[in-house]
Amino acid sequence: MRGKSKEFFAKYRFAIAFCYVPIYFLWFTLVERRTNVEFTYMHCRVDDMIPFCEYFIIPYLMWFGYVAIGVIFLAFQTRFPKDFNRCVIALMTGMTVFLIVSTVWPNAQSMRPESFSRDNMFTRLIAGLYSTDTSTNVFPSIHVYNSIVIHVALCKCHALHGKSVGKRIVKALSLLLCVSICISTMTLKQHSFLDFCGAVVMYGVVYLIVYRPTGAYLYLVRQIRQRRNEIEVRE
């Protein structure tokens, strides 16, 4: 069954990834438009120690291009389709978990500043962001999670294997942008430090499943198969 699932995904991976996008946005929109729900507000002491910095709006907005370009780059690596497959599976898994969490446990944050001490291009961009993006359904941070997914996928893809200067620069720039995006979610008061931690933990679990099945997992699979074979023999 697992082999058939892999074959199915390998054959229709682009269609699956393409179809998931509208499903995600439809579900997210429905969750965002809910009324008469009680929100759990995300906040911790670390949030009070993180200063607001409008300049981080640049990497925050670059996230959209970072994720899109990363996925497209991997999609064109036709010699090694597994690189794209793992990235997309990790993205869809985390985003689906996020939707489920938002559905069953409505959450929000209230850390956005009511006004800005400076009036410049960056604060105007943030004002526009605040007006279009609600402060609800923030845990875990998809900005953080997807950034980590893309960076790890790029670092592990076959196209960037090797120690050439060009490949090192690409991976270094990817790391810089990934870290900047993660920091921006908190310095722009879009997310709590708890949202950041939730995203990191979620990716850690997904990574073990997608990239590196643990010995315990493999042992469990073998035990299940052995038990199943014993039952079939008895019957």
Side-chain angles (χ1 to χ4, degrees), residues 70-83:
V71 172
I72 293 172
F73 173 78
L74 294 172
F76 277 97
Q77 308 308 311
T78 54
R79 289 182 57 196
F80 304 101
K82 187 177 290 187
D83 294 335

Side-chain angles (χ1 to χ4, degrees), residues 64-214:
F64 298 96
Y66 180 53
V67 174
I69 293 173
V71 172
I72 293 172
F73 173 78
L74 294 172
F76 277 97
Q77 308 308 311
T78 54
R79 289 182 57 196
F80 304 101
K82 187 177 290 187
D83 294 335
F84 173 82
N85 296 348
R86 286 174 170 173
C87 177
V88 170
I89 290 173
L91 287 172
M92 293 195 300
T93 301
M95 292 166 73
T96 302
V97 170
F98 161 75
L99 290 172
I100 294 173
V101 170
S102 299
T103 301
V104 301
W105 185 50
N107 53 84
Q109 61 91 5
S110 58
M111 298 180 294
R112 292 177 174 178
E114 295 182 0
S115 60
F116 303 112
S117 59
R118 291 180 291 272
D119 180 22
N120 52 43
M121 175 185 69
F122 305 104
T123 55
R124 292 183 201 126
L125 285 172
I126 296 173
L129 174 66
Y130 286 177
S131 66
T132 57
D133 185 23
T134 69
S135 57
T136 58
N137 305 309
V138 293
F139 181 89
S141 170
I142 287 299
H143 251 69
V144 171
Y145 178 83
N146 284 3
S147 297
I148 299 175
V149 170
I150 295 299
H151 175 64
V152 173
L154 291 175
C155 289
K156 296 184 76 68
C157 76
H158 290 77
L160 295 179
H161 278 185
K163 297 182 179 180
S164 67
V165 176
K167 293 177 180 179
R168 285 184 176 182
I169 290 176
V170 170
K171 288 186 281 190
L173 290 175
S174 174
L175 176 61
L176 177 62
L177 183 54
C178 176
V179 172
S180 298
I181 291 171
C182 292
I183 295 174
S184 74
T185 62
M186 295 173 282
T187 56
L188 295 182
K189 303 305 176 182
Q190 281 287 88
H191 286 280
S192 164
F193 180 70
L194 298 175
D195 305 331
F196 166 80
C197 293
V200 172
V201 171
M202 181 168 69
Y203 180 74
V205 175
V206 173
Y207 176 86
L208 292 177
I209 296 173
V210 175
Y211 284 99
R212 187 170 298 181
T214 62

